Amino acid sequence: MKYWYILSSLCFIVPSLSAQQLLQNKVYEFVVECPIYKCNILGKQIDTTMYIAPPESRFMVVDLRGDFYVIRFIINYHKNNALASGFSTLSYYTITRPQLDFKARTFKQSQFDFVVGSIITPIKLRFNPFDFSKDLTIGSSFGIKQTLDINKQLAFHYIIGFGVSTAALDSASTKGKIIRTIDLLAFSPSAGLLLEAGNAQIGIFTGLDFLSNTNLIRYEWIYQGKLWLSFGIGYSLLTFNMKR
């Protein structure tokens, strides 16, 4: 009797958990046209007019009421403009469970954008031989931004940068050719991964430093054209959406 009680409880709990998971901040889109009816937030139908949601219009599930879902369209994820068909992001609509299963699909929330911005790398780790310096690099960057959540508060940037660095040369890094430390400008291409959380962007970069061809000391600088590693700060200037 005890096991029968546990089994019956699980049969009730598991479907409930599955239904709750559907409501956890997911975005859906219709694959084909779907009939829907206007309702209030509690799922009570307030209009007998049947509306037709167009394919690729996107929505969120607000609540589950028996065999019906309460949904709300979201303007940020409309590939086709459902608002032009008389829908509103402030209104609620009902669809049945079979309609959600067969006429809609989960919309992939990760979005890709082309971004242009700037990078600052204040400290560099150099290798062969190992050393670290406060050589500052400031430059421009471009690449791909991948948004990880629906609220666009978390994203990865895969970027390539081109900048100008201050390279500190001394006796050790020039095989004794320079007695005192001097700062020279270097061209610094780089590549890196940025994590964007809210308005903050921080990441890790690797790149190369090249002194000017007109400066003969480049032949003596042991880090000429060698890889370095650095933590950097980024800032996005322009973002272009890459539509599917």
Side-chain angles (χ1 to χ4, degrees):
M1 186 68 181
K2 177 180 179 181
Y3 295 107
W4 173 253
Y5 174 76
I6 295 175
L7 182 61
S8 61
S9 299
L10 288 175
C11 292
F12 174 78
I13 293 173
V14 171
S16 299
L17 291 176
S18 300
Q20 289 175 4
Q21 290 174 354
L22 283 172
L23 306 178
Q24 291 179 352
N25 212 23
K26 287 186 178 179
V27 177
Y28 297 86
E29 67 177 355
F30 286 113
V31 181
V32 296
E33 296 86 354
C34 182
I36 60 177
Y37 292 89
K38 188 173 291 188
C39 66
N40 59 25
I41 195 172
L42 299 178
K44 182 178 180 181
Q45 186 174 327
I46 59 176
D47 192 342
T48 58
T49 303
M50 182 179 69
Y51 298 88
I52 303 298
E56 299 181 344
S57 57
R58 292 159 193 172
F59 61 94
M60 293 184 66
V61 175
V62 177
D63 200 357
L64 171 61
R65 294 287 176 172
D67 292 330
F68 291 86
Y69 288 104
V70 179
I71 68 170
R72 176 174 58 84
F73 291 98
I74 47 178
I75 188 171
N76 290 337
Y77 285 87
H78 282 307
K79 189 172 182 180
N80 288 344
N81 188 6
L83 299 182
S85 302
F87 298 100
S88 169
T89 58
L90 300 178
S91 298
Y92 301 96
Y93 304 87
T94 61
I95 62 173
T96 64
R97 286 193 178 192
Q99 287 173 335
L100 182 67
D101 293 338
F102 295 103
K103 295 188 177 182
R105 63 187 176 192
T106 302
F107 177 69
K108 187 177 180 180
Q109 296 182 6
S110 295
Q111 293 292 295
F112 292 92
D113 301 282
F114 180 77
V115 292
V116 178
S118 59
I119 304 172
I120 299 176
T121 54
I123 299 176
K124 293 180 180 176
L125 301 179
R126 300 189 183 275
F127 307 93
N128 195 24
F130 175 80
D131 192 13
F132 65 91
S133 64
K134 57 179 181 180
D135 296 343
L136 178 69
T137 299
I138 301 176
S140 299
S141 65
F142 64 92
I144 303 298
K145 173 183 176 182
Q146 181 184 11
T147 303
L148 302 180
D149 71 332
I150 185 175
N151 296 316
K152 297 190 175 184
Q153 294 298 305
L154 187 65
F156 279 125
H157 294 236
Y158 312 95
I159 58 178
I160 295 175
F162 298 95
V164 176
S165 300
T166 57
L169 280 65
D170 55 21
S171 177
S173 63
T174 59
K175 304 174 185 177
K177 298 295 182 180
I178 293 178
I179 299 177
R180 61 178 183 175
T181 301
I182 61 173
D183 291 328
L184 298 178
L185 293 181
F187 171 67
S188 302
S190 63
L193 175 66
L194 267 176
L195 173 63
E196 177 181 335
N199 295 323
Q201 296 181 7
I202 188 169
I204 187 169
F205 297 87
T206 184
L208 309 168
D209 285 340
F210 297 95
L211 296 179
S212 172
N213 288 335
T214 60
N215 195 330
L216 297 180
I217 198 64
R218 75 183 190 279
Y219 295 111
E220 309 298 336
W221 189 41
I222 61 176
Y223 296 115
Q224 173 79 356
K226 289 185 178 180
L227 282 175
W228 48 259
L229 189 67
S230 177
F231 295 97
I233 301 171
Y235 180 77
S236 297
L237 300 176
L238 298 173
T239 302
F240 305 93
N241 184 252
M242 300 174 64
K243 296 182 180 179
R244 297 193 302 172

